[in-house]
Amino acid sequence: MVPITYYLWLGAILFMIGAVGVLTRRNAIIILMCIELMLNGVNVTLIAFAQRLADLGGQVFAIFVITVAAGEAAVGLAIIISLFRNRSTLNVDEINLLKW
Amino acid sequence: MDLGFFLLFAGLAVFSALMVVTQKDVVHSALFLVSTLFWVASLYVLLQAEFLAAVQVLVYAGAIMVLILFTVLLIQMEEVQKTNPWHRQWPLALLLGPFLLLEIVLIVRRGLFPFQLGEFTSDKLAAVGNTEAFGQILFTRYFFPFEVASVLLLAAMIGAIVLAKKELGK
């Protein structure tokens, strides 16, 4: 039996790697992929708790997270395509119309 | 035995996740993300969530990654590849990341988890079957959120079509 804290640390590490990726990369597609990594870290935590507390609610939450991730990927990639069509760049430094 | 498999899968998942962030080529990043998702799915199997492991492979590694790779193909990346892939604030971000991890680790170490167990202990899950128990609870207690999720997917589908289609009549 693996202690639950190992799973929580793994979830935290995956979340941190995703967060650092979001903050350090300039390519919008890679930023989207790093957000998927963060969602996966959260899912690991939810499912670890579901198993340890013997409550399937955590697994149901994880499947809703996966649903939201699918919707987010579809809308995000559509935004990226229309952005590339208008500005012909994916560099988030150059997409700064709303920046103060 | 379990611990060995956990360390193997977790180590490979963290390694692939690091490669997702550090690879310069977008396609390499995407393929390492597929590998991360597979290792995380095998961790779900260790946690007795077989149905979610299958969903993870089908939805994440199948649908979402194909979507991302199609977008990479649709966009001419030559101009993107030439520029420096790192944001200029990367040292600050690299410093703040471990702080975030430290906060979570401190909370986990101090946290007191309730030990009032629910009804689905691992013996019962093994007897009933993960998918059947999951379906029963999803379609009874969590039925309304399930319906809301379907509406959310419909809204996301319409939004993606509207955003990505070309302007008509131009």
PDB file of all heavy atoms in Angstrom, chain A residues 49 52-53, chain B residues 111-118:
ATOM      1  N   PHE A  49      -7.286  10.618  -3.136  1.00  0.00           N
ATOM      2  CA  PHE A  49      -8.208  10.774  -2.009  1.00  0.00           C
ATOM      3  C   PHE A  49      -9.419   9.870  -2.161  1.00  0.00           C
ATOM      4  O   PHE A  49      -9.907   9.310  -1.167  1.00  0.00           O
ATOM      5  CB  PHE A  49      -8.661  12.227  -1.889  1.00  0.00           C
ATOM      6  CG  PHE A  49      -7.770  13.058  -1.035  1.00  0.00           C
ATOM      7  CD1 PHE A  49      -7.176  14.191  -1.524  1.00  0.00           C
ATOM      8  CD2 PHE A  49      -7.531  12.685   0.274  1.00  0.00           C
ATOM      9  CE1 PHE A  49      -6.346  14.955  -0.732  1.00  0.00           C
ATOM     10  CE2 PHE A  49      -6.708  13.434   1.076  1.00  0.00           C
ATOM     11  CZ  PHE A  49      -6.111  14.572   0.571  1.00  0.00           C
ATOM     12  N   ARG A  52      -8.330   6.475  -0.967  1.00  0.00           N
ATOM     13  CA  ARG A  52      -7.983   6.330   0.439  1.00  0.00           C
ATOM     14  C   ARG A  52      -9.177   6.534   1.344  1.00  0.00           C
ATOM     15  O   ARG A  52      -9.307   5.891   2.377  1.00  0.00           O
ATOM     16  CB  ARG A  52      -6.851   7.298   0.795  1.00  0.00           C
ATOM     17  CG  ARG A  52      -6.179   7.026   2.087  1.00  0.00           C
ATOM     18  CD  ARG A  52      -5.787   5.565   2.231  1.00  0.00           C
ATOM     19  NE  ARG A  52      -5.222   4.959   1.035  1.00  0.00           N
ATOM     20  CZ  ARG A  52      -3.947   4.974   0.749  1.00  0.00           C
ATOM     21  NH1 ARG A  52      -3.104   5.543   1.547  1.00  0.00           N
ATOM     22  NH2 ARG A  52      -3.502   4.405  -0.349  1.00  0.00           N
ATOM     23  N   LEU A  53     -10.108   7.450   0.961  1.00  0.00           N
ATOM     24  CA  LEU A  53     -11.291   7.677   1.788  1.00  0.00           C
ATOM     25  C   LEU A  53     -12.453   6.783   1.389  1.00  0.00           C
ATOM     26  O   LEU A  53     -13.553   6.938   1.921  1.00  0.00           O
ATOM     27  CB  LEU A  53     -11.721   9.147   1.703  1.00  0.00           C
ATOM     28  CG  LEU A  53     -10.677  10.147   2.174  1.00  0.00           C
ATOM     29  CD1 LEU A  53     -11.221  11.546   2.083  1.00  0.00           C
ATOM     30  CD2 LEU A  53     -10.254   9.849   3.599  1.00  0.00           C
TER      31      LEU A  53
ATOM     32  N   GLY B 111      -1.504  18.559   7.245  1.00  0.00           N
ATOM     33  CA  GLY B 111      -2.927  18.271   7.114  1.00  0.00           C
ATOM     34  C   GLY B 111      -3.340  17.041   7.897  1.00  0.00           C
ATOM     35  O   GLY B 111      -2.608  16.065   8.017  1.00  0.00           O
ATOM     36  N   LEU B 112      -4.531  17.106   8.459  1.00  0.00           N
ATOM     37  CA  LEU B 112      -5.125  15.953   9.124  1.00  0.00           C
ATOM     38  C   LEU B 112      -6.279  15.497   8.259  1.00  0.00           C
ATOM     39  O   LEU B 112      -7.247  16.228   8.076  1.00  0.00           O
ATOM     40  CB  LEU B 112      -5.637  16.328  10.509  1.00  0.00           C
ATOM     41  CG  LEU B 112      -4.576  16.713  11.528  1.00  0.00           C
ATOM     42  CD1 LEU B 112      -5.220  17.292  12.758  1.00  0.00           C
ATOM     43  CD2 LEU B 112      -3.760  15.495  11.899  1.00  0.00           C
ATOM     44  N   PHE B 113      -6.145  14.321   7.661  1.00  0.00           N
ATOM     45  CA  PHE B 113      -7.195  13.861   6.768  1.00  0.00           C
ATOM     46  C   PHE B 113      -8.232  13.108   7.589  1.00  0.00           C
ATOM     47  O   PHE B 113      -7.898  12.346   8.497  1.00  0.00           O
ATOM     48  CB  PHE B 113      -6.613  12.960   5.687  1.00  0.00           C
ATOM     49  CG  PHE B 113      -5.502  13.627   4.948  1.00  0.00           C
ATOM     50  CD1 PHE B 113      -4.253  13.056   4.876  1.00  0.00           C
ATOM     51  CD2 PHE B 113      -5.713  14.854   4.351  1.00  0.00           C
ATOM     52  CE1 PHE B 113      -3.236  13.689   4.212  1.00  0.00           C
ATOM     53  CE2 PHE B 113      -4.698  15.493   3.689  1.00  0.00           C
ATOM     54  CZ  PHE B 113      -3.453  14.912   3.619  1.00  0.00           C
ATOM     55  N   PRO B 114      -9.512  13.323   7.299  1.00  0.00           N
ATOM     56  CA  PRO B 114     -10.548  12.625   8.046  1.00  0.00           C
ATOM     57  C   PRO B 114     -10.474  11.122   7.784  1.00  0.00           C
ATOM     58  O   PRO B 114     -10.204  10.710   6.665  1.00  0.00           O
ATOM     59  CB  PRO B 114     -11.843  13.221   7.486  1.00  0.00           C
ATOM     60  CG  PRO B 114     -11.481  13.705   6.145  1.00  0.00           C
ATOM     61  CD  PRO B 114     -10.067  14.161   6.231  1.00  0.00           C
ATOM     62  N   PHE B 115     -10.674  10.350   8.798  1.00  0.00           N
ATOM     63  CA  PHE B 115     -10.617   8.916   8.590  1.00  0.00           C
ATOM     64  C   PHE B 115     -11.973   8.266   8.728  1.00  0.00           C
ATOM     65  O   PHE B 115     -12.116   7.165   9.217  1.00  0.00           O
ATOM     66  CB  PHE B 115      -9.580   8.262   9.502  1.00  0.00           C
ATOM     67  CG  PHE B 115      -8.240   8.321   8.864  1.00  0.00           C
ATOM     68  CD1 PHE B 115      -7.382   9.353   9.148  1.00  0.00           C
ATOM     69  CD2 PHE B 115      -7.878   7.378   7.924  1.00  0.00           C
ATOM     70  CE1 PHE B 115      -6.157   9.430   8.522  1.00  0.00           C
ATOM     71  CE2 PHE B 115      -6.655   7.451   7.297  1.00  0.00           C
ATOM     72  CZ  PHE B 115      -5.787   8.483   7.602  1.00  0.00           C
ATOM     73  N   GLN B 116     -13.003   9.034   8.293  1.00  0.00           N
ATOM     74  CA  GLN B 116     -14.326   8.446   8.222  1.00  0.00           C
ATOM     75  C   GLN B 116     -14.483   7.909   6.809  1.00  0.00           C
ATOM     76  O   GLN B 116     -14.629   8.666   5.851  1.00  0.00           O
ATOM     77  CB  GLN B 116     -15.358   9.532   8.500  1.00  0.00           C
ATOM     78  CG  GLN B 116     -16.729   9.005   8.698  1.00  0.00           C
ATOM     79  CD  GLN B 116     -17.699  10.157   8.854  1.00  0.00           C
ATOM     80  OE1 GLN B 116     -17.399  11.298   8.496  1.00  0.00           O
ATOM     81  NE2 GLN B 116     -18.861   9.866   9.391  1.00  0.00           N
ATOM     82  N   LEU B 117     -14.391   6.606   6.669  1.00  0.00           N
ATOM     83  CA  LEU B 117     -14.354   6.034   5.328  1.00  0.00           C
ATOM     84  C   LEU B 117     -15.741   6.015   4.715  1.00  0.00           C
ATOM     85  O   LEU B 117     -16.747   5.870   5.411  1.00  0.00           O
ATOM     86  CB  LEU B 117     -13.798   4.619   5.385  1.00  0.00           C
ATOM     87  CG  LEU B 117     -12.331   4.519   5.787  1.00  0.00           C
ATOM     88  CD1 LEU B 117     -11.883   3.083   5.734  1.00  0.00           C
ATOM     89  CD2 LEU B 117     -11.476   5.374   4.899  1.00  0.00           C
ATOM     90  N   GLY B 118     -15.786   6.171   3.402  1.00  0.00           N
ATOM     91  CA  GLY B 118     -17.043   6.041   2.686  1.00  0.00           C
ATOM     92  C   GLY B 118     -17.396   4.579   2.478  1.00  0.00           C
ATOM     93  O   GLY B 118     -16.796   3.681   3.060  1.00  0.00           O
TER      94      GLY B 118
END
